[in-house]
Amino acid sequence: MTGVILAGGRSTRMGRDKAFLKAGSERLIDRQIRLFSALFQEVIIVTNRPLDYLDQPATIASDILPGRGALGGIYTGLFHATAEQAFFAACDMPFLNRDFMAYMIEQATGCDIVVPAPSDGLQPLHAIYSRRCLPAIRGLLERDRLKVTGFYGGFKSLTIPPDTLHAFDPKGLMFLNINTPADLGHLDVLERGQREGEPG
């Protein structure tokens, strides 16, 4: 399986590239590359600023169809993946859980889509997709229909229920993403709690 980090967002609310924000002493992108490199032989970063990522030990890919948001990033990552399936995560998720990612990989055999389903809705930017999804995604992109879950119908999907998610992530942090300066401030508090073993 290929691992794909989606780093193509415009970061309008943050005002700067979220991939290079620090969680503790480590940049988010460095943390994710370290984690992905331990799980996947091939790691791809999808970004519209490829020159910013030349120091990373990963394949760098720019959007095939620019300006199509996260769905366009998924299409680009799947297009370039050499494996039949790819695991996707957004670059601004600081608490990705390696054990849960490994669990998702184990569940993916024979599936086109594996997606966590917490009580507040699906997590399509922390999911596994097969290359069989490419034509359906391309069709949506060409019609400018950019809802990430818009291609799910008709594919063999596995949703991971809340009780399983809680077993891996009792604090509910692994889908947290950083969108604003306030989120970044809260991240510092969570990081200290994680290091000290306190509730996040």
Side-chain angles (χ1 to χ4, degrees), residues 55-104:
D55 63 327
Q56 296 296 337
T59 299
I60 312 300
S62 295
D63 279 329
I64 295 169
L65 298 172
R68 299 299 203 281
L71 187 62
I74 291 170
Y75 180 79
T76 298
L78 272 181
F79 183 90
H80 288 288
T82 59
E84 179 57 32
Q85 295 173 309
F87 178 98
F88 288 81
C91 69
D92 62 348
M93 290 179 161
F95 296 114
L96 293 177
N97 183 307
R98 177 174 174 172
D99 290 340
F100 179 64
M101 291 170 66
Y103 172 80
M104 288 183 64

CSV table of all heavy atoms in Angstrom, one decimal, residues 55-104:
chain,number,residue,atom,x,y,z
A,55,ASP,N,13.1,18.6,0.6
A,55,ASP,CA,14.0,18.0,1.6
A,55,ASP,C,13.4,16.7,2.2
A,55,ASP,O,14.0,16.0,3.0
A,55,ASP,CB,14.2,19.0,2.8
A,55,ASP,CG,13.0,19.4,3.5
A,55,ASP,OD1,11.9,19.5,2.8
A,55,ASP,OD2,13.0,19.7,4.7
A,56,GLN,N,12.2,16.4,1.8
A,56,GLN,CA,11.5,15.2,2.4
A,56,GLN,C,11.8,13.9,1.6
A,56,GLN,O,11.8,13.9,0.3
A,56,GLN,CB,10.0,15.5,2.4
A,56,GLN,CG,9.5,16.6,3.2
A,56,GLN,CD,9.8,16.4,4.7
A,56,GLN,OE1,9.9,15.2,5.2
A,56,GLN,NE2,9.9,17.5,5.5
A,57,PRO,N,11.9,12.8,2.3
A,57,PRO,CA,12.2,11.5,1.6
A,57,PRO,C,10.9,10.9,1.1
A,57,PRO,O,10.4,9.9,1.6
A,57,PRO,CB,12.8,10.7,2.7
A,57,PRO,CG,12.1,11.2,4.0
A,57,PRO,CD,12.0,12.7,3.7
A,58,ALA,N,10.3,11.6,0.1
A,58,ALA,CA,9.0,11.1,-0.4
A,58,ALA,C,8.9,11.6,-1.9
A,58,ALA,O,9.7,12.4,-2.4
A,58,ALA,CB,7.9,11.8,0.4
A,59,THR,N,8.0,10.9,-2.6
A,59,THR,CA,7.7,11.4,-4.0
A,59,THR,C,6.8,12.6,-3.9
A,59,THR,O,5.8,12.6,-3.1
A,59,THR,CB,6.9,10.3,-4.7
A,59,THR,OG1,7.8,9.1,-4.8
A,59,THR,CG2,6.5,10.7,-6.1
A,60,ILE,N,7.1,13.7,-4.6
A,60,ILE,CA,6.3,14.9,-4.6
A,60,ILE,C,5.5,15.0,-5.8
A,60,ILE,O,6.0,14.8,-7.0
A,60,ILE,CB,7.2,16.1,-4.5
A,60,ILE,CG1,8.3,16.0,-3.4
A,60,ILE,CG2,6.4,17.4,-4.2
A,60,ILE,CD1,7.8,15.7,-2.0
A,61,ALA,N,4.2,15.2,-5.7
A,61,ALA,CA,3.2,15.3,-6.8
A,61,ALA,C,2.4,16.5,-6.7
A,61,ALA,O,1.8,16.8,-5.6
A,61,ALA,CB,2.3,14.0,-6.8
A,62,SER,N,2.3,17.2,-7.8
A,62,SER,CA,1.4,18.4,-7.9
A,62,SER,C,0.0,18.0,-8.5
A,62,SER,O,0.0,17.0,-9.3
A,62,SER,CB,2.0,19.5,-8.7
A,62,SER,OG,3.1,20.0,-8.1
A,63,ASP,N,-1.0,18.7,-8.1
A,63,ASP,CA,-2.4,18.3,-8.5
A,63,ASP,C,-2.5,18.2,-10.1
A,63,ASP,O,-2.0,19.1,-10.8
A,63,ASP,CB,-3.4,19.3,-8.1
A,63,ASP,CG,-3.8,19.1,-6.6
A,63,ASP,OD1,-3.8,17.9,-6.2
A,63,ASP,OD2,-4.2,20.1,-5.9
A,64,ILE,N,-3.0,17.1,-10.5
A,64,ILE,CA,-3.2,16.9,-11.9
A,64,ILE,C,-4.3,17.8,-12.5
A,64,ILE,O,-4.2,18.4,-13.5
A,64,ILE,CB,-3.6,15.4,-12.2
A,64,ILE,CG1,-2.5,14.5,-11.8
A,64,ILE,CG2,-4.0,15.2,-13.7
A,64,ILE,CD1,-2.9,13.0,-11.8
A,65,LEU,N,-5.3,18.0,-11.7
A,65,LEU,CA,-6.4,19.0,-12.0
A,65,LEU,C,-6.4,20.0,-10.9
A,65,LEU,O,-7.0,19.9,-9.8
A,65,LEU,CB,-7.7,18.3,-12.1
A,65,LEU,CG,-7.9,17.3,-13.2
A,65,LEU,CD1,-9.2,16.5,-13.1
A,65,LEU,CD2,-7.8,17.9,-14.6
A,66,PRO,N,-5.7,21.1,-11.0
A,66,PRO,CA,-5.5,22.1,-9.9
A,66,PRO,C,-6.9,22.7,-9.5
A,66,PRO,O,-7.8,22.8,-10.3
A,66,PRO,CB,-4.6,23.2,-10.5
A,66,PRO,CG,-3.9,22.5,-11.6
A,66,PRO,CD,-4.9,21.5,-12.2
A,67,GLY,N,-6.9,23.2,-8.3
A,67,GLY,CA,-8.1,23.9,-7.8
A,67,GLY,C,-9.3,23.1,-7.5
A,67,GLY,O,-10.4,23.6,-7.5
A,68,ARG,N,-9.1,21.8,-7.4
A,68,ARG,CA,-10.2,20.9,-7.1
A,68,ARG,C,-10.3,20.4,-5.7
A,68,ARG,O,-10.9,19.4,-5.4
A,68,ARG,CB,-10.2,19.7,-8.1
A,68,ARG,CG,-10.2,20.0,-9.5
A,68,ARG,CD,-11.5,20.7,-9.9
A,68,ARG,NE,-11.9,20.5,-11.3
A,68,ARG,CZ,-11.3,21.2,-12.3
A,68,ARG,NH1,-10.4,22.2,-12.0
A,68,ARG,NH2,-11.7,21.1,-13.6
A,69,GLY,N,-9.6,21.0,-4.8
A,69,GLY,CA,-9.7,20.7,-3.4
A,69,GLY,C,-9.1,19.3,-3.0
A,69,GLY,O,-8.3,18.8,-3.7
A,70,ALA,N,-9.7,18.8,-1.9
A,70,ALA,CA,-9.2,17.6,-1.4
A,70,ALA,C,-9.5,16.4,-2.3
A,70,ALA,O,-8.7,15.5,-2.4
A,70,ALA,CB,-9.8,17.3,0.0
A,71,LEU,N,-10.6,16.4,-3.0
A,71,LEU,CA,-10.9,15.4,-3.9
A,71,LEU,C,-9.9,15.3,-5.1
A,71,LEU,O,-9.5,14.2,-5.5
A,71,LEU,CB,-12.3,15.6,-4.5
A,71,LEU,CG,-12.8,14.4,-5.4
A,71,LEU,CD1,-12.9,13.1,-4.6
A,71,LEU,CD2,-14.2,14.7,-6.0
A,72,GLY,N,-9.5,16.5,-5.5
A,72,GLY,CA,-8.4,16.5,-6.5
A,72,GLY,C,-7.1,16.0,-6.0
A,72,GLY,O,-6.3,15.3,-6.7
A,73,GLY,N,-6.8,16.2,-4.7
A,73,GLY,CA,-5.6,15.7,-4.1
A,73,GLY,C,-5.7,14.1,-4.0
A,73,GLY,O,-4.7,13.4,-4.3
A,74,ILE,N,-6.8,13.6,-3.7
A,74,ILE,CA,-7.0,12.2,-3.6
A,74,ILE,C,-6.8,11.6,-5.0
A,74,ILE,O,-6.1,10.5,-5.2
A,74,ILE,CB,-8.4,11.8,-3.1
A,74,ILE,CG1,-8.4,12.2,-1.6
A,74,ILE,CG2,-8.7,10.3,-3.3
A,74,ILE,CD1,-9.8,12.1,-1.0
A,75,TYR,N,-7.4,12.2,-6.0
A,75,TYR,CA,-7.2,11.7,-7.4
A,75,TYR,C,-5.7,11.7,-7.8
A,75,TYR,O,-5.2,10.7,-8.3
A,75,TYR,CB,-8.0,12.6,-8.4
A,75,TYR,CG,-7.8,12.2,-9.8
A,75,TYR,CD1,-8.6,11.1,-10.3
A,75,TYR,CD2,-7.0,12.8,-10.7
A,75,TYR,CE1,-8.5,10.7,-11.6
A,75,TYR,CE2,-6.8,12.4,-12.0
A,75,TYR,CZ,-7.6,11.3,-12.5
A,75,TYR,OH,-7.4,10.9,-13.8
A,76,THR,N,-5.0,12.8,-7.5
A,76,THR,CA,-3.6,12.8,-7.8
A,76,THR,C,-2.8,11.8,-7.1
A,76,THR,O,-1.9,11.1,-7.7
A,76,THR,CB,-3.0,14.2,-7.5
A,76,THR,OG1,-3.7,15.2,-8.3
A,76,THR,CG2,-1.5,14.3,-7.8
A,77,GLY,N,-3.0,11.6,-5.8
A,77,GLY,CA,-2.3,10.6,-5.0
A,77,GLY,C,-2.6,9.2,-5.6
A,77,GLY,O,-1.6,8.4,-5.7
A,78,LEU,N,-3.8,8.9,-5.9
A,78,LEU,CA,-4.1,7.5,-6.4
A,78,LEU,C,-3.5,7.3,-7.8
A,78,LEU,O,-3.0,6.3,-8.1
A,78,LEU,CB,-5.7,7.4,-6.5
A,78,LEU,CG,-6.4,6.8,-5.3
A,78,LEU,CD1,-7.9,6.7,-5.6
A,78,LEU,CD2,-5.8,5.4,-4.9
A,79,PHE,N,-3.5,8.4,-8.6
A,79,PHE,CA,-3.0,8.3,-9.9
A,79,PHE,C,-1.5,7.9,-9.9
A,79,PHE,O,-1.0,7.1,-10.7
A,79,PHE,CB,-3.2,9.6,-10.7
A,79,PHE,CG,-2.7,9.6,-12.1
A,79,PHE,CD1,-3.6,9.3,-13.1
A,79,PHE,CD2,-1.4,10.0,-12.4
A,79,PHE,CE1,-3.1,9.3,-14.4
A,79,PHE,CE2,-1.0,10.0,-13.7
A,79,PHE,CZ,-1.8,9.7,-14.7
A,80,HIS,N,-0.8,8.5,-9.0
A,80,HIS,CA,0.7,8.3,-8.9
A,80,HIS,C,1.1,7.1,-8.1
A,80,HIS,O,2.2,6.7,-8.2
A,80,HIS,CB,1.4,9.6,-8.3
A,80,HIS,CG,1.4,10.7,-9.3
A,80,HIS,ND1,2.2,10.8,-10.4
A,80,HIS,CD2,0.7,11.9,-9.3
A,80,HIS,CE1,2.0,11.9,-11.0
A,80,HIS,NE2,1.1,12.6,-10.4
A,81,ALA,N,0.1,6.6,-7.3
A,81,ALA,CA,0.5,5.4,-6.4
A,81,ALA,C,0.8,4.2,-7.3
A,81,ALA,O,0.1,3.9,-8.3
A,81,ALA,CB,-0.7,5.1,-5.5
A,82,THR,N,1.9,3.5,-6.9
A,82,THR,CA,2.2,2.3,-7.6
A,82,THR,C,1.5,1.1,-7.0
A,82,THR,O,1.5,0.0,-7.7
A,82,THR,CB,3.8,2.1,-7.6
A,82,THR,OG1,4.2,2.0,-6.2
A,82,THR,CG2,4.5,3.2,-8.3
A,83,ALA,N,1.1,1.2,-5.8
A,83,ALA,CA,0.3,0.1,-5.2
A,83,ALA,C,-1.2,0.2,-5.6
A,83,ALA,O,-1.6,1.3,-6.1
A,83,ALA,CB,0.4,0.2,-3.7
A,84,GLU,N,-1.9,-0.9,-5.4
A,84,GLU,CA,-3.3,-0.9,-5.8
A,84,GLU,C,-4.2,-0.1,-4.9
A,84,GLU,O,-5.2,0.5,-5.2
A,84,GLU,CB,-3.8,-2.3,-5.9
A,84,GLU,CG,-5.3,-2.5,-6.2
A,84,GLU,CD,-5.7,-1.8,-7.6
A,84,GLU,OE1,-4.8,-1.8,-8.5
A,84,GLU,OE2,-6.8,-1.4,-7.7
A,85,GLN,N,-3.7,0.1,-3.6
A,85,GLN,CA,-4.5,0.8,-2.6
A,85,GLN,C,-3.5,1.9,-2.0
A,85,GLN,O,-2.3,1.8,-2.0
A,85,GLN,CB,-5.0,0.0,-1.5
A,85,GLN,CG,-6.0,-1.1,-1.9
A,85,GLN,CD,-6.3,-2.0,-0.8
A,85,GLN,OE1,-5.4,-2.6,-0.2
A,85,GLN,NE2,-7.6,-2.2,-0.4
A,86,ALA,N,-4.2,3.0,-1.5
A,86,ALA,CA,-3.4,4.0,-0.9
A,86,ALA,C,-4.1,4.5,0.3
A,86,ALA,O,-5.3,4.7,0.4
A,86,ALA,CB,-3.2,5.2,-1.9
A,87,PHE,N,-3.3,4.8,1.4
A,87,PHE,CA,-3.8,5.4,2.6
A,87,PHE,C,-3.6,6.9,2.5
A,87,PHE,O,-2.5,7.3,2.2
A,87,PHE,CB,-3.1,4.8,3.8
A,87,PHE,CG,-3.5,5.4,5.1
A,87,PHE,CD1,-4.5,4.7,5.9
A,87,PHE,CD2,-3.0,6.6,5.6
A,87,PHE,CE1,-4.9,5.3,7.1
A,87,PHE,CE2,-3.4,7.2,6.8
A,87,PHE,CZ,-4.4,6.5,7.5
A,88,PHE,N,-4.7,7.6,2.8
A,88,PHE,CA,-4.6,9.1,2.7
A,88,PHE,C,-4.8,9.7,4.1
A,88,PHE,O,-5.6,9.3,4.9
A,88,PHE,CB,-5.7,9.6,1.8
A,88,PHE,CG,-5.5,9.4,0.4
A,88,PHE,CD1,-5.8,8.1,-0.2
A,88,PHE,CD2,-4.9,10.3,-0.5
A,88,PHE,CE1,-5.5,7.9,-1.5
A,88,PHE,CE2,-4.7,10.1,-1.8
A,88,PHE,CZ,-5.0,8.9,-2.3
A,89,ALA,N,-4.0,10.8,4.4
A,89,ALA,CA,-4.3,11.6,5.5
A,89,ALA,C,-3.9,13.0,5.2
A,89,ALA,O,-3.0,13.3,4.4
A,89,ALA,CB,-3.4,11.1,6.7
A,90,ALA,N,-4.6,14.0,5.8
A,90,ALA,CA,-4.3,15.4,5.6
A,90,ALA,C,-3.1,15.7,6.4
A,90,ALA,O,-2.8,15.2,7.5
A,90,ALA,CB,-5.5,16.2,6.1
A,91,CYS,N,-2.4,16.7,6.0
A,91,CYS,CA,-1.1,17.1,6.6
A,91,CYS,C,-1.2,17.7,7.9
A,91,CYS,O,-0.3,17.8,8.7
A,91,CYS,CB,-0.3,18.0,5.7
A,91,CYS,SG,-1.0,19.6,5.5
A,92,ASP,N,-2.5,18.2,8.3
A,92,ASP,CA,-2.6,18.9,9.5
A,92,ASP,C,-3.3,18.1,10.6
A,92,ASP,O,-3.9,18.6,11.5
A,92,ASP,CB,-3.5,20.2,9.2
A,92,ASP,CG,-4.9,19.9,8.8
A,92,ASP,OD1,-5.1,18.7,8.4
A,92,ASP,OD2,-5.7,20.8,8.7
A,93,MET,N,-3.0,16.8,10.6
A,93,MET,CA,-3.5,15.9,11.6
A,93,MET,C,-2.3,15.5,12.5
A,93,MET,O,-1.5,14.6,12.2
A,93,MET,CB,-4.2,14.6,11.0
A,93,MET,CG,-5.5,14.9,10.3
A,93,MET,SD,-6.2,13.4,9.6
A,93,MET,CE,-7.9,13.8,9.4
A,94,PRO,N,-2.2,16.1,13.7
A,94,PRO,CA,-0.9,15.9,14.5
A,94,PRO,C,-1.0,14.6,15.3
A,94,PRO,O,0.1,14.2,15.8
A,94,PRO,CB,-0.9,17.1,15.4
A,94,PRO,CG,-2.3,17.6,15.5
A,94,PRO,CD,-3.0,17.2,14.2
A,95,PHE,N,-2.1,14.0,15.5
A,95,PHE,CA,-2.2,12.8,16.4
A,95,PHE,C,-2.6,11.5,15.6
A,95,PHE,O,-3.3,10.7,16.2
A,95,PHE,CB,-3.2,13.1,17.5
A,95,PHE,CG,-2.7,14.2,18.4
A,95,PHE,CD1,-3.4,15.4,18.5
A,95,PHE,CD2,-1.6,14.1,19.2
A,95,PHE,CE1,-3.0,16.5,19.3
A,95,PHE,CE2,-1.1,15.2,20.0
A,95,PHE,CZ,-1.9,16.4,20.0
A,96,LEU,N,-2.1,11.4,14.4
A,96,LEU,CA,-2.3,10.1,13.7
A,96,LEU,C,-1.8,9.0,14.6
A,96,LEU,O,-0.8,9.0,15.2
A,96,LEU,CB,-1.6,10.1,12.4
A,96,LEU,CG,-2.1,11.1,11.3
A,96,LEU,CD1,-1.2,11.0,10.1
A,96,LEU,CD2,-3.6,10.8,11.0
A,97,ASN,N,-2.6,7.9,14.6
A,97,ASN,CA,-2.3,6.7,15.5
A,97,ASN,C,-1.8,5.6,14.7
A,97,ASN,O,-2.5,5.0,13.8
A,97,ASN,CB,-3.6,6.4,16.2
A,97,ASN,CG,-3.5,5.2,17.2
A,97,ASN,OD1,-2.9,4.2,16.9
A,97,ASN,ND2,-4.0,5.5,18.4
A,98,ARG,N,-0.5,5.3,14.9
A,98,ARG,CA,0.1,4.2,14.1
A,98,ARG,C,-0.6,2.9,14.2
A,98,ARG,O,-0.8,2.2,13.2
A,98,ARG,CB,1.6,4.1,14.5
A,98,ARG,CG,2.3,3.0,13.7
A,98,ARG,CD,3.8,2.9,14.0
A,98,ARG,NE,4.4,1.8,13.4
A,98,ARG,CZ,5.7,1.6,13.4
A,98,ARG,NH1,6.5,2.4,13.9
A,98,ARG,NH2,6.2,0.5,12.8
A,99,ASP,N,-1.0,2.5,15.4
A,99,ASP,CA,-1.7,1.2,15.6
A,99,ASP,C,-3.0,1.2,14.8
A,99,ASP,O,-3.3,0.2,14.2
A,99,ASP,CB,-1.9,0.9,17.1
A,99,ASP,CG,-0.6,0.6,17.8
A,99,ASP,OD1,0.4,0.3,17.2
A,99,ASP,OD2,-0.6,0.8,19.1
A,100,PHE,N,-3.7,2.3,14.9
A,100,PHE,CA,-5.0,2.3,14.1
A,100,PHE,C,-4.8,2.3,12.6
A,100,PHE,O,-5.5,1.6,11.9
A,100,PHE,CB,-5.8,3.6,14.6
A,100,PHE,CG,-7.1,3.7,13.8
A,100,PHE,CD1,-8.1,2.7,14.0
A,100,PHE,CD2,-7.3,4.7,12.9
A,100,PHE,CE1,-9.3,2.8,13.3
A,100,PHE,CE2,-8.5,4.8,12.2
A,100,PHE,CZ,-9.5,3.8,12.4
A,101,MET,N,-3.8,3.0,12.2
A,101,MET,CA,-3.5,3.0,10.7
A,101,MET,C,-3.1,1.6,10.3
A,101,MET,O,-3.6,1.1,9.3
A,101,MET,CB,-2.3,3.9,10.4
A,101,MET,CG,-2.7,5.4,10.6
A,101,MET,SD,-1.2,6.5,10.5
A,101,MET,CE,-0.7,6.3,8.8
A,102,ALA,N,-2.3,0.8,11.1
A,102,ALA,CA,-2.0,-0.5,10.8
A,102,ALA,C,-3.3,-1.4,10.8
A,102,ALA,O,-3.4,-2.3,10.0
A,102,ALA,CB,-1.0,-1.1,11.8
A,103,TYR,N,-4.2,-1.1,11.7
A,103,TYR,CA,-5.4,-1.9,11.8
A,103,TYR,C,-6.2,-1.6,10.5
A,103,TYR,O,-6.8,-2.6,9.9
A,103,TYR,CB,-6.3,-1.4,13.0
A,103,TYR,CG,-7.7,-2.0,13.0
A,103,TYR,CD1,-7.9,-3.3,13.4
A,103,TYR,CD2,-8.7,-1.2,12.6
A,103,TYR,CE1,-9.2,-3.8,13.5
A,103,TYR,CE2,-10.0,-1.7,12.6
A,103,TYR,CZ,-10.3,-3.0,13.1
A,103,TYR,OH,-11.5,-3.5,13.1
A,104,MET,N,-6.3,-0.4,10.0
A,104,MET,CA,-7.0,-0.1,8.8
A,104,MET,C,-6.4,-0.8,7.6
A,104,MET,O,-7.1,-1.4,6.8
A,104,MET,CB,-7.0,1.4,8.5
A,104,MET,CG,-7.9,2.2,9.4
A,104,MET,SD,-7.9,4.0,9.0
A,104,MET,CE,-8.6,4.0,7.4
